[in-house]
Amino acid sequence: MRPPDAGAFSRETALADIILPHALPSALDGRDGLKLLSLDCFDTLLWRDTHAPSDLFGALPETTVPQRIWAEQRARNASALRRKRFEVSIDEIYRELLPNAPLDQRASAVGHELAAEALHCFAFAPTVELMREAKRRGLKVVIVSDTYLDADQLRGLIAAAAGDEVAGLIDAFFCSSVYGVSKGEGLYKHVLAETRVAPEAILHIGDNKHADVDGVAPYGVNTLHLKQFAEPTVQRLRLEAAVSAMLHPHADGVAVTHQPHRAALASAEPAITDPAEAFGFSTLGPVLHGFDRWLGDEAAALQACNGGQVHRLFLMRDGHLPRLVHEAGGTESTGHSIEISRFTAVAASFDNEEAVERYLQLELNGDLTAMMKQFLLPPSEISMVLKELPAQNKLPAFLKAIRNPARMRRIIKNSNAFADRLAQHVRGMVNPAKGDTLMLIDLGYNGTVQNAVEPVLKRLLGVEVAGRYLLLREQFRTGFDKKGLIDPTHYDANTLEALSRNVAVLEQTCTAAQGSVIDYQPDGTPIRRENSIKGRQSAIRDRIQTGCVRFVHAERDAVLRASAPDAVTMWRRTAVSVLARLMFLPMAHELALVSEFEHDVNLGVDDTVPLFDTAIAKRGLRQRGLFYMKGAERMYLPAELQGEGLSLKLALLASQRFGLALKYADFVDQTISLPVIVADGRNVTTGSVTATPTHDGYYLAPIPIDDCRFSVGLQFGQLFDWLQIESATFMPVKEFLNDAPKSGVEIAALPSLEGMEQTAPNLFRCDDEFGFMMVPPPPRQDDQPMMLAVVFRPIVAREAKPAPAARNVLLGAAA
C-alpha cells in the first residue's frame, strides 16, 4: 500500500480551515456539540470602508496620519520597556500623541477617533447572520480582538456603527489591551479560563491567519480563517488605493481612501464564475452605483428648486446601463430611455443662420461629408456639392456653397421639422407638463447633446432642462444647468482631462446593443442606423452589464450600518478611484474581455475605432517611447501598456493627472554614439549619430538623408557582437520631428549586410569590428528632406581591444 500523499493532505487541511465570506451564515452546519461562537472583531464582524485601517486616521481633526501611526509605535515601544508587553490602550496612544495636553483634551481626541471609527465602520451582514444563527441554536457569542480598545469602548463602537441589535448579540469581549497579550501571544487562554467552555466546543473565526488560526488552534479550539478576497481582488483594491492617493490629495477630516464596495466584493464576487459578469460586478458596479446614489440627491434638489415634476431621462445609448442600475436600486422614481444622439440633437438645433454658422465654426476642420449629413442635406445634393469643390482652396468654396441663401433656407426648414419630430419623441416617452424638469442623464463628458437640444426642448415643450453626468468636463462654459458626479467642483482640470481621454472603455460597456438614432417618424418613433458593433462584443457587454446590476443587490445585502459618513463624497471618491484604475492600470483578465471591442463615433456615420492595439503599441514604444501615443488613433491607449510593467503605466498616469509638460528629451539619460558612413555616389564621409533610448532597452538612431540622395552605413560591428534591429524606415523629417506623426508615411528600408549575419528574426551577429549594415535611400518623390530612423537594441557589447604594451626605451644607452 502506498503511503498517503502528505502534500495533498496538508492542502486539504488548509482548505478545510478556510471559509469564504458568503459561506459564513452556514459555518455552524455539520458542527455538532458547539457551545460557543468566538469571532474576531475588525475585518470579521466590523469592516471599514477604507483600504487600510490607518487610512481612517485621515478623518481625525488636527492630526496627520503619520503622527497617529508614530504615536502608536511609541506607545508600544514604551509598554515593551516598562511592562515587557506590546499591547497598549488608546489612552496610552494619545498620551504619546499629545504629551503636553491636559487630560480633558486627550479624552476629547480619543472621542474624535471613536466617532470617526463609528462613521467609517459597518457590520458585515454575513457575519451578523452567523451570529443570529448561533443564538438561534443556543450558542453564546464572544468577540476576541487584538485591539487598543477596551470592552466598553468596543461594545460602544459596535453599537454606534452597526446598531444596538448587533451589539446585543454579543455575550462577552476579550480585548488584547486589557489582558496585555495578543491572540498570537496567548490571549485565548484567558478566553478559555473565563468562559469555562471546552476548547472542542468552541468555533473561532477571524481574518488573520497568524492570529486567528495559528494563535488559537493550539489550544484545541476549532478555527476557520476568513479569507476575505481572492488574490486578484486584493491586488485590484491595492491598485485602486494607489490611484486614489494620486487623484485625491489628502484633506483634513477626510479618510485617506474610500472603498465601501469591499463588503459586496467579499460576499458575492467568489460565486461569480463568468469573467465578463465578474468584471461588470467588481468594476462597473461600484462606479455606476455611486453615480445612481448621487442622481437621487440631484433629482431631489431639482424638485425643491424648480417645482413641477422631475423626469429622469437616460440618454441612449450610453445611458442604458445607468438606467438598469437605477431600476435595480428599487427606488420609487421611474427613469425613461430617451433616444437623443449627438447627431439628432445637433440636427434639430439649426433654427437660424447663426446656429448654422456656429456649427461651421466648431467643425471647420472636420469631414465635409459628415458636416453636410448633419445639415440634413440629401445624398444627391451632398454628392453635387463635393463634385463642384475645386482641388485647391476647398474650404472657402464649401462655406460659400453652404451659405447659399436657398440652401441655408432648406437647412433651417429641415432642422425645424426635425426638431418637431424629436420633441414628439420626448412627448411619447414622458409627456412633460410645462414647468417640469427634464433631467438628462448620460456618462458625459462634455454635454454636447444638452448643448444642442436644451434650447429646442425649452422652446417646443416649455420645460426646464438639467444635465447630470457621471463625468463632466466642458470645453466651454455654456451656462446651462450641468453637473457631474465627477466635475470641476471636486477635481482639477488635469484630472478631468485624464479621465476623459479614456472614457471610451466605459462607454462601450454601458451602451445599448442597438444602432444610434438618426431620425424620428412623425409620431416620434426612433429611426436607427444599423448597429455597427460586432455581435460578439454585444454578447460580452450584456454579461458585463448583468454583473454590474448584480452589484447593486449585493451591496445592499452585505452591509449593516447605523451611521455613515458623507455617502456622496465616499461613493464619488470610490467611483473615481475604480474608474481611473481601470483606465490606467487595467488587469490582464479585464483587457482580455475587451480586446476586440471597437468604439463607434456616433456621428450619423458608420466609423468605428479599435479601443486598443497592443501590437502597434509595442512597435510604437520601441520607436518613440511613451510619446508614440500622441499620434495614435485608438481610444483606450493605457491598455496598450499591458505587459510593459507598472512603472510605465504610473508614468503615464502621473503625466496626465498632473499635466506634466514633459518632452522626449526629458526621458533621455544616456545615449549611444553610433559610427556611420554616408555616401552619395561620389563622396564618402564618416561620422557618428546620437542614438537615444526609447523603451525596453531599445535605441533610436535618426540619420538625415536630405532629399533621398545619401546611402547610410551603420557600423554596428564597432560597438556590438550581438544586437537586435527592430526596424529601419524612412519618413519625412517634418513628420519625424512632429509630436503626433501621421500614420502611413513610413517607407520600409531595404538594407544589405556586410560582415553581419542574421541568425533569427531581428537578431544579428557582427563578425568583427568591421561589420556594418548598408541602407540605400528610397526612390526620390519630391524635394522634401527625409530621415532614416533605425531602432535597435544592444545585446552583447564588443570588448575593447587592450592597448599595445609600451616598450621600454633606454635613451642614450647605446652611446
Side-chain angles (χ1 to χ4, degrees), residues 268-299:
E269 191 178 22
I272 302 175
T273 57
D274 176 21
E277 186 175 345
F279 168 67
F281 180 90
S282 62
T283 302
L284 297 190
V287 174
L288 293 183
H289 176 66
F291 182 38
D292 189 62
R293 293 178 70 129
W294 174 74
L295 288 175
D297 289 354
E298 289 299 309

Side-chain angles (χ1 to χ4, degrees), residues 89-100:
S89 68
I90 192 170
D91 295 322
E92 291 173 296
I93 293 172
Y94 273 83
R95 193 178 305 150
E96 294 294 333
L97 180 64
L98 304 170
N100 300 313

